[in-house]
Amino acid sequence: MNGRIHFLGVGNVANFIAFALAGIPKRPPMTLLLHRADLETSWELRGRQIEVVTDNRSEKRSGFEVEVLGAIKDSKIRSLIVGTKTTQTVSALSAVKTRLDSTSTILFTQNGMGIADEVSAKVFTDPQSRPQYLYGVVSHGLYSNGPFSTTRAGFGSIVMGGTLEDQTMTIMDNPASRLQLGASSTNILEPLSSSPELNAREVPSTELIQVQLEKLIVNSVINPLTVLFNCINGELLKVTKAMHTIRLLLPETCSVIRSLPELQVIPGINARFSSDRMSDVVSSMIQKTASNTSSMLQDYKAGRPTEIDFINGYIIKRAQQLGKDCSFNTSIVRRVLNDELESLPPQ
């Protein structure tokens, strides 16, 4: 193994991770997998560099290989970081399915939850040959300036790890267990953890799932409501109807999360996912990102499919499994999908 890391998807997260890894002393060899031929033209126009803008200061880094999917290359992929939208992940991974096997590792970095389940059901259906899955929860504030150019609007972190379920165990079998990571997993975790720009760290599965769910709750409020009210994040705290919707939505969502069976052996769940605490977390995030346009609103305005099925839709799915009411989330999803937007009052 040569330590090469492949990137599937050239969105903000993938760009930023590749850029950061290019800045560490022992940078790994990296290949960007392009899903469209025209992206190769954009890559050449960018001078074969990835640009990240921080505090109005541009920095560019080079030394990446690129490969257009569908070309004749069929070399094995051992370490793959997936940065596609959740709505595109199954089709994107299907294009490289034959190049991955049980010795490979995939790091999912997308918003939402449930995408790995869909990938297993539709792409890697055989558990014996399925790659190992890792997950990265990204809190850096990133937005696009165009192909291969990203602005970092806020410094955050990446929390990484795997789940015991992916090794045919459950958290309840042994809450203290650590994953048995292969070389292809270490090949991702070690370089990411060594980058000060990424501020990445590996955590146990019990902590990872809590971080994932906390971000899911925050996204389930900010993302769809900025679409419904067609506003930047900070405006949500200024609109009475938006605040009323948040007060209805959060208790329902938190009740579902607190009831998840995989959390029942983890101490402090009721306090961490209480409506009061999560209301504070959501309000704080809205304030920190007040001038930002949510990723879901960006997708909506661009006419792209949103990731709501993997955010509020995931909450609805888990509620149905538990036999719990989820009417407010269901209403939110229906209104986003049916373009039932609110009108903001005049300022």
Side-chain angles (χ1 to χ4, degrees):
M1 183 182 301
N2 65 359
R4 180 171 297 277
I5 298 176
H6 287 76
F7 290 82
L8 186 60
V10 291
N12 293 317
V13 172
N15 279 347
F16 181 59
I17 293 175
F19 172 89
L21 293 183
I24 63 176
K26 295 182 179 179
R27 63 174 286 174
M30 290 177 276
T31 298
L32 312 180
L33 300 174
L34 310 181
H35 63 284
R36 300 194 317 268
D38 63 288
L39 285 172
E40 189 170 25
T41 302
S42 298
W43 176 245
E44 295 295 337
L45 291 173
R46 284 282 181 187
R48 303 179 65 84
Q49 298 173 317
I50 293 177
E51 176 188 41
V52 170
V53 179
T54 306
D55 295 329
N56 295 317
R57 181 178 61 84
S58 169
E59 185 175 353
K60 300 175 182 178
R61 293 175 186 168
S62 58
F64 308 96
E65 293 188 15
V66 298
E67 176 188 333
V68 178
L69 292 179
I72 59 172
K73 290 187 179 180
D74 59 357
S75 58
K76 287 296 181 182
I77 296 174
R78 295 306 182 200
S79 302
L80 179 66
I81 297 178
V82 178
T84 59
K85 291 284 187 179
T86 52
T87 53
Q88 302 167 340
T89 300
V90 166
S91 61
L93 280 172
S94 295
V96 295
K97 174 183 177 180
T98 59
R99 299 172 63 181
L100 296 149
D101 58 27
S102 60
T103 65
S104 306
T105 294
I106 299 173
L107 173 68
F108 295 97
T109 63
Q110 298 98 323
N111 283 331
M113 294 182 69
I115 185 57
D117 294 335
E118 185 166 303
V119 166
S120 292
K122 297 181 179 180
V123 184
F124 302 109
T125 56
D126 179 9
Q128 298 304 312
S129 60
R130 183 179 297 154
Q132 183 168 34
Y133 298 158
L134 297 175
Y135 307 90
V137 184
V138 181
S139 63
H140 294 281
L142 306 170
Y143 65 84
S144 176
N145 307 312
F148 308 106
S149 178
T150 295
T151 289
R152 182 173 67 174
F155 183 76
S157 66
I158 302 178
V159 177
M160 307 177 294
T163 64
L164 296 175
E165 287 89 339
D166 292 329
Q167 294 193 342
T168 66
M169 294 178 61
T170 67
I171 291 174
M172 289 178 280
D173 288 330
N174 186 352
S177 292
R178 283 180 57 86
L179 291 168
Q180 299 300 310
L181 298 175
S184 59
S185 299
T186 305
N187 187 53
I188 292 176
L189 294 170
E190 286 188 352
L192 266 68
S193 298
S194 70
S195 167
E197 291 172 312
L198 293 179
N199 189 28
R201 71 186 194 279
E202 181 190 357
V203 299
S205 57
T206 49
E207 174 61 17
L208 176 71
I209 193 170
Q210 294 177 77
V211 175
Q212 286 179 301
L213 290 168
E214 193 165 292
K215 184 177 182 183
L216 180 76
I217 294 172
V218 172
N219 283 341
S220 74
V221 173
I222 296 176
N223 278 319
L225 293 192
T226 52
V227 172
L228 292 179
F229 290 93
N230 190 25
C231 66
I232 59 174
N233 294 358
E235 293 297 315
L236 293 176
L237 297 179
K238 302 176 183 179
V239 179
T240 301
K241 194 169 185 179
M243 291 299 297
H244 177 68
T245 304
I246 293 172
R247 285 192 289 269
L248 294 174
L249 191 61
L250 265 180
E252 176 182 276
T253 299
C254 290
S255 176
V256 173
I257 299 304
R258 291 195 303 270
S259 301
L260 295 177
E262 59 265 37
L263 299 185
Q264 298 313 303
V265 296
I266 302 177
I269 286 301
N270 287 337
R272 180 163 188 167
F273 294 107
S274 70
S275 298
D276 288 343
R277 178 181 176 274
M278 287 310 305
S279 178
D280 290 340
V281 171
V282 168
S283 295
S284 175
M285 184 57 65
I286 291 174
Q287 291 168 357
K288 289 178 182 177
T289 62
S291 61
N292 291 9
T293 300
S294 75
S295 59
M296 190 176 290
L297 182 56
Q298 292 178 51
D299 288 339
Y300 182 85
K301 287 185 172 181
R304 297 186 294 260
T306 72
E307 297 178 299
I308 197 163
D309 286 338
F310 295 92
I311 300 177
N312 302 75
Y314 179 82
I315 296 165
I316 295 168
K317 176 184 175 182
R318 299 308 304 270
Q320 291 172 340
Q321 293 170 349
L322 295 164
K324 295 184 70 69
D325 176 67
C326 208
S327 54
F328 290 117
N329 276 279
T330 301
S331 174
I332 291 292
V333 171
R334 186 200 74 241
R335 290 164 62 192
V336 169
L337 295 179
N338 293 339
D339 301 323
E340 299 175 17
L341 307 189
E342 300 283 351
S343 296
L344 282 174
Q347 300 295 314

